[in-house]
Amino acid sequence: MLKNYEVESAHTWTGRVDSSTDFDSLRWHQWIKIIDLNDTSLKAFDGKFAFAFIGFECDHGIGLNKGRVGAAMGPESIRRELSNLPCQFSQDIKLFDAGNIVTYGLTLDQAQDCLSEAVNRVLELNMFPIVLGGGHETAFGHYKGLFKNFHPKKENIGIISFDAHFDTRPYKENGGTSGTMFRQIHDLNLENDEDFNFMVIGIQKHSNTKSLFNYAKENGIKYILSRETVNSSIPSLFEQIDEFISGVDHVYITICSDVFSTAFAPGVSAPTPLGVDPETAIVLIKHILSHDKAVSFDICEVSPRFDKDSTTASLASLLIFTVVTKVANIIEMNNKRRNKKIDKE
């Protein structure tokens, strides 16, 4: 049984109704189904493809990192923005709300362990996890759930993080924060004789110490500076991404909302005047997904208390919409190829 877990209320998913019978007119709030991950009668999904949303109501790591807390309320604000999105996919694609990990009274380590169990449970149910953070400490709990599922199969996981920060600061003396997760993942992999495959897109030089750049070089961390997403050609960025993905079995995509400038994402812990353009991020995300290796996704550090007009939550919902519709498109194309092959035979 999952600990510190709550089923999401169906009342969260409400919105405009254009039709209740025409699928092409439906919105996400009409298509999503609420599930309880602690329901032992749940069976693994056996349809074409399913996404499951998990909320991680935690910003302990941000507080420990001396940042602006508030991201624990992120899942609620993101769900509100997701509700009215149109179903731009076939009826074979299913959406499930898999509830929330609530972390009041827990240590950061305990909260991350709870999230890891929830992610692993979703994978066991044959669904694609989309985790709604929470601070970017979400990434360590999310990865541990993936690791628990894929490591026994000897399948490695490449992490592609969209972030202004490396988040690889030392942690062993004072414990983990929202700035240490990827060093913790590195150490977890080392302890288990697993390669560390990590790429960061959107790094800001003014937001990372020289020591962090040294750590990246020493440990083979690939990164693309924020300014390179403006000054370099898209094909050259694709080449770097392709080279990284070619060396891994699966890809986990994680986004910290502070990778975008405050013009697009004011509701974050560490706002910045500069950042990756969301349109560029969407192009890169679609390219990553086109490799058909993605197994999970999260969006972190959406903080409603600083979010003017729900701008950041709205951007988060558009990024999730991109992931869902692109993956759905890939599934549909693969099915068409499979059917053509069967017809030829």
Side-chain angles (χ1 to χ4, degrees), residues 35-336:
I35 59 172
D36 179 355
L37 294 180
N38 279 331
D39 180 355
T40 56
S41 69
L42 274 181
K43 305 232 186 291
F45 180 76
D46 62 356
K48 284 289 190 327
F49 202 84
F51 296 92
F53 300 106
I54 310 167
F56 186 52
E57 298 179 353
C58 179
D59 52 20
H60 299 348
I62 293 175
L64 293 167
N65 200 28
K66 298 180 171 57
R68 306 192 303 175
V69 296
M73 298 301 293
E76 180 182 349
S77 65
I78 296 171
R79 280 185 173 100
R80 279 200 302 268
E81 299 303 317
L82 292 174
S83 290
N84 268 318
L85 291 176
C87 293
Q88 294 277 3
F89 44 76
S90 75
Q91 297 184 53
D92 292 329
I93 304 301
K94 307 299 182 184
L95 305 179
F96 295 96
D97 191 317
N100 302 284
I101 297 297
V102 293
T103 62
Y104 180 78
L106 298 182
T107 65
L108 178 56
D109 288 343
Q110 289 170 334
Q112 289 166 327
D113 284 343
C114 289
L115 177 60
S116 74
E117 293 299 325
V119 169
N120 184 53
R121 172 73 167 140
V122 167
L123 292 170
E124 289 175 342
L125 290 170
N126 196 31
M127 299 177 185
F128 185 109
I130 294 182
V131 181
L132 314 176
H136 208 187
E137 65 262 31
T138 300
F140 189 41
H142 191 160
Y143 182 84
K144 286 173 77 176
L146 298 173
F147 188 86
K148 183 172 183 177
N149 190 278
F150 292 112
H151 179 65
K153 306 171 191 172
K154 302 193 181 303
E155 297 171 355
N156 64 2
I157 306 159
I159 306 167
I160 299 181
S161 176
F162 287 78
D163 199 341
H165 310 91
F166 283 112
D167 289 338
T168 53
R169 293 208 292 279
Y171 66 94
K172 290 188 175 177
E173 185 175 341
N174 298 312
T177 71
S178 64
T180 65
M181 309 82 59
F182 298 110
R183 187 179 288 227
Q184 290 174 276
I185 290 171
H186 184 197
D187 290 347
L188 172 66
N189 284 14
L190 283 177
E191 291 165 9
N192 290 275
D193 196 28
E194 186 76 67
D195 291 338
F196 180 54
N197 300 291
F198 182 41
M199 180 180 217
V200 197
I201 299 172
I203 287 292
Q204 297 276 12
K205 277 204 166 181
H206 67 269
S207 299
N208 297 272
T209 64
K210 188 175 179 181
S211 175
L212 292 174
F213 280 96
N214 292 340
Y215 182 85
K217 184 176 180 180
E218 291 162 4
N219 293 283
I221 296 171
K222 310 298 182 186
Y223 63 88
I224 295 172
L225 295 172
S226 179
R227 70 180 185 217
E228 290 180 283
T229 66
V230 176
N231 300 327
S232 299
S233 68
I234 292 294
S236 71
L237 299 179
F238 284 176
E239 285 177 12
Q240 295 178 66
I241 291 169
D242 293 346
E243 182 181 359
F244 176 80
I245 293 177
S246 68
V248 301
D249 297 315
H250 305 292
V251 175
Y252 154 42
I253 305 170
T254 177
I255 298 180
C256 183
S257 298
D258 68 19
V259 75
F260 307 108
S261 79
T262 50
F264 303 108
V268 297
S269 171
T272 178
L274 301 174
V276 175
D277 187 297
E279 292 283 3
T280 301
I282 286 171
V283 169
L284 298 180
I285 290 167
K286 286 182 175 180
H287 184 72
I288 294 165
L289 294 170
S290 71
H291 284 264
D292 205 10
K293 287 188 176 182
V295 291
S296 66
F297 173 84
D298 64 41
I299 179 100
C300 305
E301 305 221 0
V302 173
S303 187
R305 65 185 289 224
F306 304 111
D307 199 13
K308 180 177 173 56
D309 297 326
S310 298
T311 301
T312 316
S314 180
L315 174 57
S317 75
L318 291 177
L319 294 168
I320 293 169
F321 179 79
T322 296
V323 172
V324 169
T325 53
K326 179 63 177 179
V327 172
N329 180 253
I330 292 169
I331 298 299
E332 186 175 349
M333 288 175 62
N334 288 344
N335 287 339
K336 285 180 179 178

